[in-house]
Amino acid sequence: MKRVLNFGSINVDHVYTVEHFVRPGETLGCQEYNRFAGGKGLNQSIALAQAGACVYHAGKVGTADAWLKTMMEDKGVDTRFVETINSPSGHAIIQVNASGENSIVIVGGANQLMNEADVQRILSDFGEEDYLLVQNEVSAVPQVIRAAKAKGLTIVFNPAPMHSNVLNYPLELVDILIVNEIEARSLSGEIEPGAIYETLNQHYPQMAILLTLGHKGAAYLSPKIRFCQPAKKVRVVDSTGAGDTFIGFFLAELINTSDPKAALGFAARAAAICVTRHGAADSIPSRKELETA
């Protein structure tokens, strides 16, 4: 069975439900407070596992938050490469407004302590049949990409959160780039999906691009195929984690079927369920839910 190694963040999400996002100089009372498991890495690993993929998570978490590792295991994620350390965990402060939109502040914590020795040690167990998934909430991302490509893994990169250093990453080694509209514009300078692809294709001709478009759906653009997937229309309660759910279910189904179009449809259905629930990791559906819906 093909495996996915996810070098990813592990966070505690502190979620505040508010009428509107707090404005500069404003003090705003929240309507509800909740604590959830989160981090793009953790969310995507759980989504992969829930979608039926064989996923190994590589990351670091503080000893006070070892419950996050247990939760991942309970959801089917292999955590043998998750290290518990004597340091604060990563965490996020999330505002969710009346429309279900979110605004997020991230503290890196233990996620920023991944180093070259960790990368080499963990990748020694993986090879050409496997996939690497990595986001941009952990340290050593360029080293992870280079080391994984040297071992023949298929590289899937989600450069979120986006910052200028990403332009210096070895993007020529990436097989599938997963970006939203803001990230795509930062990388290409373009707005329209076709123009985004054409610009990036000039620099990275072998790269496929999965462009997530929020309520408009998603587009898959590669040298061989291009198509769009509309989003499912549902009542949005909380969009936190929807993108991570989409990515996990897309990659799991792509590995399962080798069919990007089928994978996008599958991912859209999963994300539609996710946004009807509160939380990030806690809102991710199971494969069985999609098959019986």
Side-chain angles (χ1 to χ4, degrees), residues 14 34 42 52 54 74 97 146 149 159 184 193 199 208 210 239 268 287:
H14 300 278
N34 288 286
L42 178 146
C54 178
D74 290 344
N97 69 13
R146 290 191 184 97
K149 179 57 73 171
T199 298
L210 173 55
S239 61
R287 186 181 190 93

Side-chain angles (χ1 to χ4, degrees), residues 195-207:
I196 289 169
Y197 176 73
E198 294 300 336
T199 298
L200 292 177
N201 181 253
Q202 292 175 15
H203 300 284
Y204 317 110
Q206 302 306 312
M207 180 191 287

